[in-house]
């Protein structure tokens, strides 16, 4: 009959020489578990994207803008990771931004050189200009040397309207570049063909935008021609202008008729009607003379003139 032995009886029945081997196994297992626990520790270096960048507006941050192809950025990565391990102890968030994958943030912060490092404290940004060593980073944050750096103006802050526009422009440029690469590499379009397509798209989009702006301007500031009183005022002005022209024409016709009548009349009659001086100037009121007196006056003046002429000849 077979006998079943308990497991503890088997263990105690093992030779004494196997116990050191068990201790080695337990030690190896403990080291493995500790290494797994260390590797399971979350990464202290955070990554900022176009989707979560607003998180940096609260708290204290140190942010590195880099590109994978940049040699200076590659040299800084090891130091930056070591610096990130101290971030939790100092209460500072250490982050990085890949400008090749996040063009919007590149335009929002106007990244013109790589690597670029920014310090942010409760939404106030300052550009780091010091040495790029771990100790310098620690002194800059822990020693609060960032207070001596002038902050970026609110006009050029990442959350301003101007920087939002720059971010949209950089995103658009990256989208166009990706479309160009897709058409030339995947679809086999020639380079000049891609340029023609983008040129036509730019032309039509400009025309569409211009028409849209015109419609908006007409809606906000309507022209006087479309007002209710415009046509009434215009009709009234046209009628007044026509009446004035008719009156001017009638006056001109009346003057012509008067001139024609004067030409047809006898000069003596015109002279009598005017009752003026021989020179044709009308006499002032209160000094009007009868026809006989006027004739005598004219004849007297002529006789005087003749006598004066005779005296001049005699002399």
């Amino acid at each position: 009959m077979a006998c079943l032995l308990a497991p503890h009886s088997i263990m105690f029945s093992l030779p004494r020489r196997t116990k050191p081997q068990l201790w080695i196994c337990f030690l190896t297992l403990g080291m493995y578990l500790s290494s797994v626990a260390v590797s399971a520790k979350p990464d202290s270096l955070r990554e900022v994207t176009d989707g979560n960048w607003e998180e940096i507006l609260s708290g204290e941050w140190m942010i590195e803008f880099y590109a994978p192809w940049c040699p200076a950025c590659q040299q800084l990565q090891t130091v930056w990771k070591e610096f990130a391990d101290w971030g939790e102890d100092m209460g500072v968030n250490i982050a990085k931004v890949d400008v090749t994958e996040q063009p919007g943030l590149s335009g929002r912060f106007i990244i013109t050189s790589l690597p670029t490092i920014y310090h942010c404290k409760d939404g106030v940004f300052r550009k780091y200009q010091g040495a790029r060593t771990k100790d310098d980073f620690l002194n800059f944050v822990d020693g609060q040397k960032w207070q001596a750096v002038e902050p970026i103006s609110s006009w050029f802050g990442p959350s301003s309207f101007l920087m939002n526009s720059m971010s949209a422009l950089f995103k658009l440029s990256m989208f166009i570049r990706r479309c160009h690469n897709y058409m030339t590499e995947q679809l086999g379009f020639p380079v000049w063909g891609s340029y023609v397509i983008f040129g036509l798209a730019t032309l039509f989009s400009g025309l569409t935008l211009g028409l849209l702006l015109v419609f908006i301007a007409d809606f906000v500031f309507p022209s006087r021609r479309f007002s209710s009183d415009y046509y009434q005022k215009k009709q009234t002005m046209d009628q007044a202008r026509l009446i004035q022209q008719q009156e001017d024409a009638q006056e001109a016709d009346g003057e012509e008729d008067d001139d024609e009548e004067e030409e047809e009349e006898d000069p003596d009659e015109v002279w009598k009607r005017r009752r003026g001086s021989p020179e044709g100037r009308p006499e002032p009121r209160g000094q009007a003379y009868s026809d006989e007196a006027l004739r005598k006056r004219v004849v007297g003046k002529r006789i005087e003139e003749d006598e004066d002429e005779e005296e001049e000849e005699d002399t």
Side-chain angles (χ1 to χ4, degrees), residues 27-43:
L27 182 60
T28 304
L29 181 61
M31 294 177 63
Y32 173 76
L33 293 176
S34 63
S35 63
V36 171
V38 172
S39 62
K41 182 181 178 180
D43 190 6

Side-chain angles (χ1 to χ4, degrees), residues 183-204:
M183 287 189 293
T184 55
E185 296 175 2
Q186 301 295 329
L187 301 180
F189 282 27
V191 176
W192 63 268
S194 176
Y195 290 158
V196 170
I197 292 174
F198 283 114
L200 293 175
T202 303
L203 178 61
F204 285 112

Side-chain angles (χ1 to χ4, degrees), residues 63-116:
I63 310 165
E64 175 205 7
F65 292 84
Y66 74 99
W69 50 262
C70 174
C73 301
Q74 296 173 1
Q75 295 177 1
L76 182 61
Q77 292 308 306
T78 303
V79 177
W80 196 251
K81 290 180 179 179
E82 294 177 356
F83 172 58
D85 295 336
W86 290 81
E88 186 176 358
D89 297 334
M90 295 184 300
V92 179
N93 300 295
I94 312 301
K96 62 179 180 179
V97 178
D98 186 356
V99 295
T100 60
E101 297 293 334
Q102 311 298 330
L105 292 179
S106 177
R108 193 177 295 276
F109 287 87
I110 310 297
I111 303 302
T112 57
S113 61
L114 296 173
T116 298

Side-chain angles (χ1 to χ4, degrees), residues 145-205:
K145 293 184 178 180
W146 51 266
Q147 294 181 353
V149 180
E150 184 178 359
I152 297 176
S153 173
S154 59
W155 289 96
F156 298 98
S159 58
S160 64
F161 174 77
L162 179 61
M163 293 299 102
N164 284 325
S165 302
M166 291 296 298
S167 176
L169 182 62
F170 272 64
K171 288 180 181 179
L172 178 61
S173 64
M174 183 59 67
F175 174 76
I176 294 174
R177 180 179 178 184
R178 289 175 179 174
C179 292
H180 172 74
N181 294 334
Y182 177 77
M183 287 189 293
T184 55
E185 296 175 2
Q186 301 295 329
L187 301 180
F189 282 27
V191 176
W192 63 268
S194 176
Y195 290 158
V196 170
I197 292 174
F198 283 114
L200 293 175
T202 303
L203 178 61
F204 285 112
S205 61

Side-chain angles (χ1 to χ4, degrees), residues 7 9 12-13 19 43 54 88 90 95 108 115 141 221 226 266 270 274 313:
S9 62
F12 284 105
S13 64
K19 290 183 178 181
D43 190 6
E54 292 183 351
E88 186 176 358
M90 295 184 300
R108 193 177 295 276
V141 176
F221 306 102
F226 298 99
D266 186 24
V270 175
R274 290 184 178 179
E313 290 178 358

Side-chain angles (χ1 to χ4, degrees), residues 13-295:
S13 64
L14 292 175
R16 297 177 61 88
R17 62 186 179 183
T18 61
K19 290 183 178 181
Q21 296 177 357
L22 292 174
W23 285 108
I24 293 174
C25 291
F26 287 135
L27 182 60
T28 304
L29 181 61
M31 294 177 63
Y32 173 76
L33 293 176
S34 63
S35 63
V36 171
V38 172
S39 62
K41 182 181 178 180
D43 190 6
S44 56
L45 184 59
R46 304 180 62 176
E47 188 169 356
V48 180
T49 63
D50 287 322
N52 64 354
W53 75 270
E54 292 183 351
E55 295 179 0
I56 66 178
L57 298 178
S58 60
E60 188 172 3
W61 293 74
M62 286 287 286
I63 310 165
E64 175 205 7
F65 292 84
Y66 74 99
W69 50 262
C70 174
C73 301
Q74 296 173 1
Q75 295 177 1
L76 182 61
Q77 292 308 306
T78 303
V79 177
W80 196 251
K81 290 180 179 179
E82 294 177 356
F83 172 58
D85 295 336
W86 290 81
E88 186 176 358
D89 297 334
M90 295 184 300
V92 179
N93 300 295
I94 312 301
K96 62 179 180 179
V97 178
D98 186 356
V99 295
T100 60
E101 297 293 334
Q102 311 298 330
L105 292 179
S106 177
R108 193 177 295 276
F109 287 87
I110 310 297
I111 303 302
T112 57
S113 61
L114 296 173
T116 298
I117 300 173
Y118 275 95
H119 174 270
C120 177
K121 177 70 173 178
D122 296 330
V124 181
F125 290 84
R126 294 174 174 84
K127 192 172 183 179
Y128 178 80
Q129 302 285 357
R132 298 169 185 170
T133 63
K134 184 183 71 174
D135 294 337
D136 291 318
F137 293 148
L138 293 173
N139 292 331
F140 183 79
V141 176
D142 194 31
Q144 296 185 354
K145 293 184 178 180
W146 51 266
Q147 294 181 353
V149 180
E150 184 178 359
I152 297 176
S153 173
S154 59
W155 289 96
F156 298 98
S159 58
S160 64
F161 174 77
L162 179 61
M163 293 299 102
N164 284 325
S165 302
M166 291 296 298
S167 176
L169 182 62
F170 272 64
K171 288 180 181 179
L172 178 61
S173 64
M174 183 59 67
F175 174 76
I176 294 174
R177 180 179 178 184
R178 289 175 179 174
C179 292
H180 172 74
N181 294 334
Y182 177 77
M183 287 189 293
T184 55
E185 296 175 2
Q186 301 295 329
L187 301 180
F189 282 27
V191 176
W192 63 268
S194 176
Y195 290 158
V196 170
I197 292 174
F198 283 114
L200 293 175
T202 303
L203 178 61
F204 285 112
S205 61
L207 292 175
T208 304
L209 181 60
L211 290 175
L212 180 61
L213 292 176
V214 170
F215 291 150
I216 293 174
D218 288 340
F219 179 77
V220 177
F221 306 102
S223 176
R224 294 184 302 171
R225 296 184 178 181
F226 298 99
S227 61
S228 60
D229 299 335
Y230 174 76
Y231 290 104
Q232 296 179 357
K233 292 180 179 179
K234 183 178 180 182
Q235 187 176 5
T236 304
M237 293 176 64
D238 292 340
Q239 292 177 354
R241 190 180 300 109
L242 181 60
I243 293 172
Q244 184 66 31
Q245 291 177 357
Q246 292 177 354
E247 292 178 354
D248 294 341
Q250 291 177 358
E251 291 179 358
D253 294 340
E255 292 178 357
E256 292 178 357
D257 294 340
D258 293 340
D259 294 339
E260 291 177 357
E261 291 177 356
E262 289 179 357
E263 291 177 357
E264 293 175 357
E265 289 180 357
D266 186 24
D268 293 336
E269 296 295 333
V270 175
W271 179 79
K272 291 179 180 179
R273 181 165 55 84
R274 290 184 178 179
R275 289 176 173 272
S277 63
E279 290 81 8
R281 292 191 300 270
E283 291 290 341
R285 292 182 179 179
Q287 297 181 1
Y289 300 95
S290 62
D291 293 341
E292 196 66 28
L294 289 173
R295 289 180 181 276

